[in-house]
Amino acid sequence: MVKHDRTGRQHRQWLEEARKHQKRGDLEGMLSALLRLPPSLREELLPSGAALLRQAVREQHRRGSWRTLSTLAVRVDAEPGLVERGAAPEEAWATYWPLVWAAGRARDWERARRLWQPLTGPARAHAPLLARAMDGWLSSDGSPSPELIAPALERLPPVDSLLGIEPPSQRVSLPPPRSLDEVEGALLALRALEPFPVFASRAETWARAAPAEAARAIWELAGQLAARELWLRAAEGKEHAALSESASLLARAVREGGALEALSVPTLQALRVVAAGLAQTVISRIEDAEPLCTLAQAAALQPSAQPWVAQAMSGFRFEGAALPRALGLYQELLARIADAPLWARAFLAWCEQNPEAPNAPGWLQEGLGRLVATKASSLLSWLGGAVPSERMELIECVASTCAPDLVESWVDVCWEGASEELRRELSEAVRILLDRSRMKQGGRQLERLLRGVRSLEDAERMLMEVEGAMEQVYSSMKLTGDGLRIWRRFAPRVLTYQVEFLEVAVRQAVSDAEAWDAAVRYLEAHPGNTGHIEALRAMELSGREALARRILERWLERRTANVLALAEAVVAAGRMNTPCKYLHPVLEAFMRALSEQLPALQAPVVEQARALAHKHGYRLRKRGASRKKKAASTTARRASRSKKKPAAKGAAPPKESERSPPKAVSPEDGEESS
């Protein structure tokens, strides 16, 4: 339930951010917040967001800003409604077309093929030759066979020189290297004659068609040239989006060439260049995440570089549009590296991307299992040094989405060396496990009830009646099965950290003596007013009123005749809405102690306690006869006063010690007579 409350607050915050940026016309800010929301909450802003995006695509296409268009292609791929919502079919097609080309120019072929799907039908109906050429281009990752493209090119109109359009110049066609000796000359000539994107595409084509030995040489030299291109662009101060092409070719060279030892150092150096060029450790733009993640995956193929890669990547935090790319990186790295900080960062990123998912993916749970088995000390070290908010978020997410036995093992290995503060936070994982077992148990009970329902109307009526009481039922039911096993395993360790554990201990106790022992242990750790009130409530909820009265006596006994301590107890009991049958004895003890102490204490807490006592009918009166005696002897006292002689002139007034101190009056004693 804590997790769901946190999720709801986060969703509302993102929705407000999206609304704010939408009103300002800030497309990038709106999309960053909008895409974090679950699909059901995006509907409100999709029509206006789609209009902004379509306008931006038209403008960027007119300018030829392909890098920006490739970023917008990533956003549209994550939410197709950003193109289609509120648009005519022709307008949507016109928006998809430049996005397909932008993804293709960025060599993001999987995304380009997905964006091409809405255009497939219209293209085949209106321009079948173009559709065939596009299918060939996308399916071959930018290297289509001439047979697929030639028919479309033949249909192009002839070039008219009057329009100022020059025919394409004849380019030198370099033959692919046929042997190992020809690789260096052919590849260097290709790099000198062609722009880098063409060089990258042609080198890849050559490597795939060459024999194994020549292919390895092509990949090695192409990777070295790609690393050189990346360093040159970084030295020129170009944006990270400009580094993606060279980083992509270098990573492909490492993978396709079989993790060449010769490319290990250039790859690691390139990764350091890209990481150092980032202005901050929080990455939200896909343009910044892409070269970093691509190079990290390639560098991790070399075992000697894996520790540095894990340390570097655990120092970054991804959010927004960069999260999907980061999760792919984490999954690949954790399959090779058992590293606690990297795993924790991956789990937090997954939790942010999937706040409502009931179960964590297998690769994250397997990663935790390996760490528990082999690197428990590193898990404890990360927890001890993490930011408290991140640590608590990780504990809640792991306990809510991982297998219960895995969570138990995780808490076990971290508990022994944990600080007192960390143990208190780890106890939250145990509480969540107990809640999960209750929900499972309650779900089975509800399923048994619904089996006897004869119609849908009966089921809806029963659910409406049960829904309001389910939480109370779950919290009051006794643990069974896995829940009971978990409780017996952790009860001695966690009992004193949360009042919920005391309630479970009292509810599971088989005798009053066992329940009292649990309460005493809890009170030793929480000797203050709050601890006693919590223990009172635990006994009250479990129906052990005799033990509740015993706790009340113990509470008051330790504060007898101490006005200030009793005043603090009264204020705490009132603040925590203690039932009157336990509040009134505390009020009575306070008023009695106040009436016997002169002069009265003038402290704020005492005044607050007196106000609460007055509200419940308790107040001070002077000592004297009771109401009945006063009513019966009023006439006699008046007669005796009339017979008294006046005091002698100059006689001293009675001493302060001879006056009667005030006395406490309870609601049962009635009103004070004047």
Side-chain angles (χ1 to χ4, degrees):
M1 183 171 298
V2 173
K3 181 173 182 288
H4 290 307
D5 291 344
R6 176 177 56 82
T7 300
R9 290 194 300 270
Q10 186 68 76
H11 286 172
R12 288 191 293 273
Q13 179 181 352
W14 289 336
L15 188 59
E16 287 300 321
E17 289 181 8
R19 289 171 180 161
K20 177 183 66 176
H21 291 296
Q22 185 268 335
K23 290 179 181 178
R24 296 175 179 175
D26 180 5
L27 178 64
E28 180 64 27
M30 187 200 70
L31 292 180
S32 180
L34 179 69
L35 293 179
R36 299 183 189 182
L37 295 169
S40 59
L41 296 180
R42 298 176 186 172
E43 293 299 323
E44 173 188 340
L45 294 172
L46 271 184
S48 57
L52 281 176
L53 183 131
R54 290 193 296 268
Q55 180 183 356
V57 169
R58 288 193 298 269
E59 179 64 23
Q60 299 302 328
H61 190 204
R62 184 183 62 81
R63 295 178 180 177
S65 302
W66 294 105
R67 293 175 186 171
T68 304
L69 286 172
S70 65
T71 302
L72 296 178
V74 174
R75 305 302 178 90
V76 169
D77 186 38
E79 175 52 76
L82 289 170
V83 170
E84 301 168 359
R85 194 58 52 86
E90 293 78 7
E91 187 179 5
W93 300 339
T95 305
Y96 273 121
W97 181 253
L99 296 178
V100 172
W101 282 101
R105 288 171 64 94
R107 305 192 65 78
D108 193 354
W109 300 112
E110 290 294 335
R111 182 169 289 111
R113 284 190 282 270
R114 288 194 295 269
L115 295 173
W116 171 245
Q117 288 304 312
L119 297 175
T120 303
R124 290 175 180 172
H126 299 285
L129 294 179
L130 176 61
R132 186 183 177 198
M134 289 294 296
D135 288 336
W137 181 61
L138 293 172
S139 61
S140 62
D141 291 354
S143 302
S145 62
E147 294 79 8
L148 294 176
I149 298 179
L153 295 178
E154 292 173 357
R155 298 293 298 271
L156 293 176
V159 176
D160 188 351
S161 59
L162 296 178
L163 298 177
I165 301 175
E166 297 181 0
S169 60
Q170 295 294 324
R171 305 187 65 89
V172 178
S173 179
L174 294 173
R178 293 182 295 272
S179 65
L180 185 61
D181 295 335
E182 297 177 358
V183 168
E184 183 176 358
L187 221 58
L188 291 176
L190 179 64
R191 179 66 192 94
L193 294 173
E194 299 286 1
F196 189 82
V198 177
F199 163 75
S201 177
R202 192 80 58 83
E204 184 176 351
T205 303
W206 286 358
R208 290 179 177 176
E213 188 178 9
R216 284 195 296 271
I218 292 173
W219 282 123
E220 179 178 342
L221 184 53
Q224 292 172 350
L225 292 173
R228 177 180 178 275
E229 181 69 18
L230 185 143
W231 297 329
L232 290 175
R233 294 187 180 188
E236 293 173 3
K238 293 188 176 181
E239 295 182 355
H240 272 69
L243 308 181
S244 294
E245 291 177 340
S246 51
S248 178
L249 178 58
L250 176 55
R252 287 201 305 277
V254 173
R255 290 195 302 269
E256 299 291 339
L260 295 169
E261 187 69 28
L263 294 179
S264 175
V265 173
T267 305
L268 196 58
Q269 290 176 344
L271 177 59
R272 288 175 174 171
V273 168
V274 172
L278 292 169
Q280 53 186 1
T281 58
V282 179
I283 303 173
S284 58
R285 300 197 316 155
I286 189 64
E287 298 91 337
D288 295 335
E290 186 60 41
L292 183 70
C293 295
T294 299
L295 290 171
Q297 287 174 315
L301 295 176
Q302 289 293 337
S304 59
Q306 289 175 1
W308 190 90
V309 173
Q311 180 182 2
M313 291 302 102
S314 61
F316 290 100
R317 183 168 68 85
F318 297 86
E319 63 180 20
L323 273 177
R325 184 66 184 87
L327 289 174
L329 167 68
Y330 289 140
Q331 183 173 359
E332 186 168 332
L333 292 183
L334 289 175
R336 303 174 181 276
I337 311 168
D339 184 81
L342 184 67
W343 170 84
R345 187 59 60 198
F347 214 112
L348 289 170
W350 174 84
C351 192
E352 182 177 352
Q353 178 76 359
N354 307 275
E356 297 181 353
N359 299 308
W363 59 273
L364 278 175
Q365 299 200 47
E366 291 168 6
L368 177 57
R370 287 195 298 271
L371 290 171
V372 167
T374 61
K375 293 191 175 182
S377 59
S378 64
L379 275 173
L380 179 60
S381 177
W382 186 90
L383 287 171
V387 177
S389 59
E390 285 191 343
R391 179 171 63 229
M392 202 65 226
E393 183 180 359
L394 180 71
I395 290 173
E396 292 176 0
C397 194
V398 170
S400 301
T401 61
C402 287
D405 56 343
L406 179 59
V407 180
E408 294 175 46
S409 301
W410 176 55
V411 174
D412 254 341
V413 300
C414 293
W415 188 275
E416 188 63 30
S419 64
E420 195 67 16
E421 178 184 1
L422 181 54
R423 286 183 176 182
R424 183 179 302 279
E425 294 175 347
L426 285 172
S427 71
E428 178 67 13
V430 178
R431 187 195 65 77
I432 292 175
L433 285 179
L434 295 178
D435 285 347
R436 288 174 65 181
S437 70
R438 290 193 194 98
M439 293 292 290
K440 185 177 180 180
Q441 180 183 350
R444 287 195 296 264
Q445 294 180 4
L446 183 59
E447 183 180 354
R448 285 195 294 269
L449 289 174
L450 292 177
R451 285 175 185 170
V453 174
R454 298 181 179 179
S455 65
L456 183 61
E457 290 76 11
D458 291 343
E460 292 177 351
R461 184 173 59 256
M462 178 178 292
L463 287 174
M464 291 179 64
E465 294 174 355
V466 171
E467 185 177 2
M470 286 300 279
E471 184 176 346
Q472 182 178 357
V473 171
Y474 289 158
S475 62
S476 62
M477 66 172 57
K478 280 196 170 186
L479 297 171
T480 59
D482 288 341
L484 183 58
R485 177 185 57 78
I486 293 169
W487 173 246
R488 288 173 175 171
R489 179 177 183 176
F490 291 102
R493 285 178 277 183
V494 303
L495 174 63
T496 60
Y497 289 109
Q498 297 190 37
V499 66
E500 289 85 351
F501 296 135
L502 174 62
E503 294 172 357
V504 174
V506 172
R507 195 160 49 245
Q508 297 292 132
V510 297
S511 65
D512 283 354
E514 184 177 343
W516 178 253
D517 289 342
V520 168
R521 186 180 168 198
Y522 186 82
L523 290 174
E524 288 174 352
H526 304 272
N529 297 316
T530 301
H532 282 84
I533 297 170
E534 289 172 343
L536 270 175
R537 284 184 171 176
M539 295 301 180
E540 176 75 10
L541 290 173
S542 64
R544 303 178 189 269
E545 294 189 6
L547 294 184
R549 290 192 297 271
R550 188 174 172 185
I551 290 173
L552 177 65
E553 293 171 359
R554 171 186 172 131
W555 185 21
L556 295 178
E557 186 178 304
R558 300 188 176 189
R559 289 157 177 79
T560 302
N562 188 331
V563 175
L564 191 59
L566 287 170
E568 291 172 349
V570 167
V571 172
R575 184 179 63 250
M576 297 178 67
N577 297 320
T578 306
C580 288
K581 61 181 177 181
Y582 302 117
L583 174 61
H584 284 177
V586 183
L587 288 171
E588 187 173 351
F590 163 69
M591 295 301 287
R592 185 181 304 113
L594 187 63
S595 67
E596 294 172 356
Q597 179 170 338
L598 288 174
L601 286 174
Q602 299 297 321
V605 67
V606 174
E607 297 303 320
Q608 294 176 29
R610 291 187 66 174
L612 184 61
H614 181 74
K615 180 179 177 181
H616 284 261
Y618 287 85
R619 61 207 161 276
L620 294 174
R621 67 172 171 81
K622 294 181 179 180
R623 285 188 177 179
S626 66
R627 175 191 293 265
K628 293 181 180 180
K629 291 182 179 179
K630 286 183 178 181
S633 60
T634 299
T635 306
R637 283 189 282 108
R638 288 177 179 173
S640 63
R641 288 192 191 119
S642 63
K643 293 179 181 180
K644 285 182 180 180
K645 295 181 180 180
K649 187 175 182 179
K655 295 181 180 180
E656 184 69 27
S657 60
E658 296 175 359
R659 298 178 183 174
S660 297
K663 184 178 180 181
V665 180
S666 68
E668 292 77 10
D669 293 333
E671 297 291 336
E672 176 189 358
S673 58
S674 57

